[in-house]
Amino acid sequence: VLIAHAFTLGLARTCLASLADHAHTVQASSAYERVLIELDRLHGDVVPAIDQDLVSTDQRNMLYVIAASSIEDLADHGLDDLNIELILAMLGDAFDQDAG
Amino acid sequence: MYGENGALLRTALAELLRQHRIQQRVGRHWRTAPDVTTDAARAEASVLIRAYRQAVLVWCHQTAAAINPYVVSNVTHLPPNPFIGAERELAPLDSLERALRETRDASSAHLPTLALLTTPHELPLVESWRQIARAAALAEHDINAAPGARALTVEEALTVAGDVASISQALIVLDRRYKNLPNWEPLRKSTQLGWAALACALDASLGSPDLSIDDHGWRPRTKPIRGPARPGYLGVLQAEHNMLVRLSTRPTALNLRLIVDSQRLVSALLADRAEATDHQAAERWRRRASTYELLQRQLRDIGSLVGGGGAAAAQAAAAVSRLRSIPTTTRVEPRTIRGFATMFAHVDDRIAEIVENSREDGQYFERIKLPAVASDTRRLVHMAKETYVPVTLATQTRLRAIARHRLRQPATSMSADHSDGRKSRAEIQAALIHRPLPEQPPRMEI
């Protein structure tokens, strides 16, 4: 994993963790958590730690946008497009669950 | 388990100790009534009883030999200088073991065959002896040096020594009572055995017994519940049980996170449904959900490269999906709540064990943060920031604290309840010293 890849991945992980921590329901929190686990699984569990210094906001919408864009950026680092779409779909479902 | 088999042994022996007039019990009534059995049948019963007694003697001797290395006698005198090893004195258990060995070797009775152990007898007296011999045979792999069995503590070993001593005393009392049976062979050196048993019982009674020995021993292997999913909440319980069985192998960090997530969801969903039936259980499960939430946060930065647990994670997912498919209006019965409470206690114990041992095993590792670039050094080339991490890994410490203080259940219901063991031990002591049972209050009948 190159440093740019690790940075993008770390950003996505941090946003997902924040979203899970601030979710309104247990189900939504669990849904975010599963997105995070899926992301880790795709990287063979070799991922950087969550670093709250990477993200300076705790607004839900902002976190969602940063997470989604970071996951999209992972395509530039060799992640399969289909896997990225699946993760984005999971993230969208979790966000809808949280909003609902 | 030793608790079950030991209690069976003691209860049956106490029952036999309360029985007098043995000739009548094997069918001979002298002149008061016609004999029920023939002389040959009584002689056969006597041989059978001796065979069953031999099984108990063998168990007593083997158990005494097995626990002897763990026993430190309460009357041992330690040397004043702690750097000089204590010479092993002849402890009461040594004498009892030797006396049991001599008595066993001197007896001409054969051990009962499997057919004798499993075939019921028509005479209740012989049948009681058969039950005792069965219990002795079953108890054999509870204490005796089974491969992989955990070591006993001194208190536990002394408790077993006390049990062996009281059973030996019971055998001597019964031996004297049965002396008029045809073909009966009295125990050899029974006086020596009696004194040794008495000394051992006194030695054991000087300390407080540790009844956790009753949880020791062989127990049947837990197997997954196969077949289609059971309807309703039973299906969720089935999946939880199967998950627990599959958790016998160490899961990877990812699978552990999936399992922890499922436990959090199951607890939270069940708490809402159980609110109407049992408010306290619902509160407990909400607390459990928050515990798993904390654990989940800590586990995000834990990774692993080896391990299994795929089947356990699948069962965990099945538990959540089955619970979601049950209509929220379906009532949770009190019995089901108890089932879930028991199952959750076991699951929590196992997960706490996995988390606590993770550090020693070195299977899980902690992720590191990306190095930040130090941009305030006013140099041409920005270097990575140096960070200093304390030796004690904070995440590991927090994980262990959650496992130790929030997941581990205080020893309450199942493991600490040794009422059967207490009762049977009290019964055999009461029967040995010939104390009558408390009389029932007279009933007024009109």
Side-chain angles (χ1 to χ4, degrees):
Chain A
V1 177
L2 295 177
I3 191 77
H5 184 181
F7 179 79
T8 315
L9 187 55
L11 189 61
R13 291 191 84 236
T14 308
C15 291
L16 286 172
S18 291
L19 281 168
D21 290 348
H22 295 107
H24 292 117
T25 59
V26 177
Q27 283 91 335
S29 172
S30 169
Y32 285 126
E33 197 68 42
R34 266 177 277 127
V35 180
L36 183 57
I37 293 173
E38 185 61 20
L39 199 59
D40 292 353
R41 194 185 63 76
L42 284 178
H43 288 86
D45 211 17
V46 182
V47 291
I50 288 162
D51 188 355
Q52 295 297 341
D53 295 340
L54 294 178
V55 185
S56 55
T57 178
D58 59 350
Q59 286 185 5
R60 208 163 51 89
N61 290 339
M62 284 297 291
L63 286 170
Y64 172 70
V65 170
I66 298 170
S69 65
S70 310
I71 292 170
E72 281 174 9
D73 288 348
L74 288 173
D76 300 337
H77 302 291
L79 209 65
D80 187 45
D81 283 345
L82 178 61
N83 285 328
I84 288 178
E85 287 306 321
L86 287 173
I87 291 182
L88 284 175
M90 284 175 76
L91 178 61
D93 284 348
F95 190 69
D96 292 344
Q97 225 172 334
D98 197 11
Chain B
M1 271 190 314
Y2 176 68
E4 290 172 10
N5 297 323
L8 191 59
L9 255 172
R10 291 186 297 270
T11 312
L13 273 172
E15 185 59 36
L16 280 180
L17 283 169
R18 287 191 212 102
Q19 294 180 5
H20 297 266
R21 301 186 180 180
I22 301 302
Q23 293 282 354
Q24 288 186 12
R25 293 190 185 271
V26 291
R28 184 162 198 195
H29 295 279
W30 302 100
R31 290 174 189 165
T32 54
D35 290 348
V36 180
T37 52
T38 61
D39 285 342
R42 285 195 288 276
E44 188 198 349
S46 169
V47 171
L48 274 178
I49 291 174
R50 277 173 48 213
Y52 292 140
R53 183 184 66 175
Q54 184 73 4
V56 185
L57 266 177
V58 167
W59 177 81
C60 284
H61 174 254
Q62 287 184 349
T63 307
I67 59 169
N68 206 358
Y70 304 109
V71 168
V72 176
S73 167
N74 283 314
V75 292
T76 304
H77 303 291
L78 293 174
N81 185 346
F83 296 102
I84 297 175
E87 283 187 17
R88 190 171 165 83
E89 298 172 13
L90 199 62
L93 188 63
D94 294 316
S95 312
L96 179 61
E97 185 198 339
R98 196 179 53 192
L100 279 167
R101 188 177 60 242
E102 287 176 1
T103 310
R104 181 203 64 183
D105 293 344
S107 168
S108 64
H110 296 287
L111 277 173
T113 59
L114 194 60
L116 283 181
L117 280 175
T118 48
T119 315
H121 200 274
E122 55 188 4
L123 282 175
L125 183 81
V126 184
E127 179 60 18
S128 298
W129 274 103
R130 186 181 75 86
Q131 296 293 345
I132 292 170
R134 270 188 66 206
L138 287 172
E140 217 170 77
H141 55 180
D142 287 333
I143 302 292
N144 301 344
R150 72 172 169 87
L152 302 180
T153 62
V154 174
E155 288 79 16
E156 286 176 342
L158 272 173
T159 311
V160 181
D163 292 345
V164 172
S166 48
I167 289 171
S168 308
Q169 285 176 305
L171 288 182
I172 294 165
V173 173
L174 292 173
D175 178 54
R176 291 187 184 149
R177 205 174 285 169
Y178 288 20
K179 66 182 178 187
N180 289 331
L181 283 181
N183 273 354
W184 187 253
E185 183 188 78
L187 289 176
R188 290 282 301 277
K189 297 189 178 178
S190 62
T191 317
Q192 181 192 349
L193 179 62
W195 281 113
L198 183 62
C200 193
L202 284 174
D203 184 20
S205 67
L206 286 177
S208 53
D210 184 357
L211 295 187
S212 58
I213 183 66
D214 286 353
D215 296 329
H216 189 87
W218 180 88
R219 58 184 74 203
R221 266 185 71 188
T222 24
K223 292 178 184 170
I225 306 170
R226 296 186 187 280
R230 305 288 194 275
Y233 291 110
L234 287 181
V236 186
L237 265 177
Q238 180 190 8
E240 285 275 319
H241 170 85
N242 290 350
M243 182 198 77
L244 182 63
V245 174
R246 302 292 186 198
L247 258 184
S248 56
T249 55
R250 180 69 59 87
T252 60
L254 276 176
N255 285 333
L256 182 62
R257 283 166 68 192
L258 284 170
I259 290 165
V260 165
D261 183 53
S262 78
Q263 291 310 299
R264 179 189 171 195
L265 269 179
V266 167
S267 298
L269 293 174
L270 265 179
D272 294 340
R273 292 162 191 236
E275 186 68 55
T277 315
D278 189 341
H279 175 69
Q280 288 184 341
E283 278 303 309
R284 269 201 311 277
W285 290 345
R286 281 202 188 92
R287 221 168 27 246
R288 183 173 187 262
S290 70
T291 303
Y292 274 98
E293 186 186 349
L294 283 176
L295 192 61
Q296 198 173 38
R297 286 184 189 184
Q298 300 299 329
L299 282 175
R300 283 175 192 153
D301 284 339
I302 297 290
S304 71
L305 295 176
V306 289
Q315 291 292 341
V320 176
S321 63
R322 283 179 199 173
L323 186 56
R324 277 190 174 140
S325 67
I326 301 171
T328 47
T329 49
T330 310
R331 187 170 175 267
V332 194
E333 298 295 330
R335 193 176 163 193
T336 316
I337 289 180
R338 279 200 298 278
F340 273 113
T342 311
M343 189 56 68
F344 285 164
H346 285 120
V347 171
D348 292 354
D349 262 358
R350 178 65 189 136
I351 290 180
E353 193 182 342
I354 291 171
V355 169
E356 281 186 343
N357 294 340
S358 61
R359 193 172 187 176
E360 286 78 8
D361 293 357
Q363 187 185 339
Y364 297 151
F365 54 80
E366 191 178 0
R367 306 188 204 285
I368 53 161
K369 291 181 180 178
L370 287 175
V373 176
S375 54
D376 53 352
T377 53
R378 296 183 182 179
R379 289 181 187 171
L380 195 59
V381 179
H382 296 319
M383 304 297 288
K385 267 185 185 171
E386 295 283 350
T387 49
Y388 296 94
V389 182
V391 176
T392 51
L393 297 174
T395 312
Q396 287 278 12
T397 316
R398 282 197 296 273
L399 263 178
R400 286 162 72 92
I402 293 171
R404 192 159 294 170
H405 302 300
R406 299 193 54 153
L407 277 182
R408 291 269 188 214
Q409 304 282 328
T412 49
S413 53
M414 290 167 301
S415 56
D417 180 22
H418 300 119
S419 53
D420 278 357
R422 275 181 221 285
K423 193 177 163 204
S424 64
R425 284 182 178 93
E427 268 183 9
I428 194 167
Q429 289 301 333
L432 272 173
I433 59 172
H434 211 75
R435 186 185 294 160
L437 285 175
E439 287 183 6
Q440 299 290 327
R443 291 172 60 188
M444 291 280 276
E445 288 185 9
I446 300 171

